[in-house]
Each structure stands twice: as structure tokens, then as C-alpha cells.
Amino acid sequence: MEDKSLNKYGRMRRAFLQKQNPTPDKETDDMAWARYMNLLREMAEDVVVREVVCT
């Protein structure tokens, strides 16, 4: 079950990146890039946790 969740997490993160605004440029604004990546991770983790707990 853990492998399934981790795979889904990666797919969700990639899909979210493709739908949203482009990722901030890491070379010019590394703090904005880090904030953006942290936001994506938190959102994906929330969805995975909800699905694992509720199913």
C-alpha cells in the first residue's frame, strides 16, 4: 500500500505542476522555487493522507 501511495504522490505532483503556472526559475529566485515545491509537496501529502485514512 505504501508503494501505491508514493507512486500516486509523484503523479499528483507532476500533474499539478503541469496544470499550474510554471515553476519559478531556480537560478534567479531560489527561495520562490523552494516555497513552490514545498506547497506542492504539502498539497499532495494532504490528498494521499486523506485517501489512505479514509479508505
Side-chain angles (χ1 to χ4, degrees), residues 36-48:
Y36 187 75
M37 290 297 133
N38 286 336
L39 173 67
L40 295 179
R41 186 186 71 237
E42 290 172 13
M43 292 173 70
E45 285 175 355
D46 286 344
V47 171
V48 170

Side-chain angles (χ1 to χ4, degrees), residues 1-4 15 27 30 34 36 45 51:
M1 179 140 191
E2 187 175 327
D3 285 342
K4 250 186 192 178
E27 299 295 321
D30 57 344
Y36 187 75
E45 285 175 355
E51 286 190 5

Side-chain angles (χ1 to χ4, degrees), residues 13-24:
R13 191 169 180 190
R14 191 174 320 119
F16 185 80
L17 276 170
Q18 292 170 350
K19 287 181 185 177
Q20 296 299 317
N21 295 332
T23 307

Side-chain angles (χ1 to χ4, degrees), residues 22-34 36:
T23 307
D25 186 25
K26 188 176 181 181
E27 299 295 321
T28 59
D29 194 359
D30 57 344
M31 289 305 290
W33 181 86
Y36 187 75

Side-chain angles (χ1 to χ4, degrees), residues 1 5 8-9 12 41-55:
M1 179 140 191
S5 297
K8 186 168 188 170
Y9 169 76
M12 289 173 53
R41 186 186 71 237
E42 290 172 13
M43 292 173 70
E45 285 175 355
D46 286 344
V47 171
V48 170
V49 167
R50 271 186 264 142
E51 286 190 5
V52 170
V53 171
C54 293
T55 56

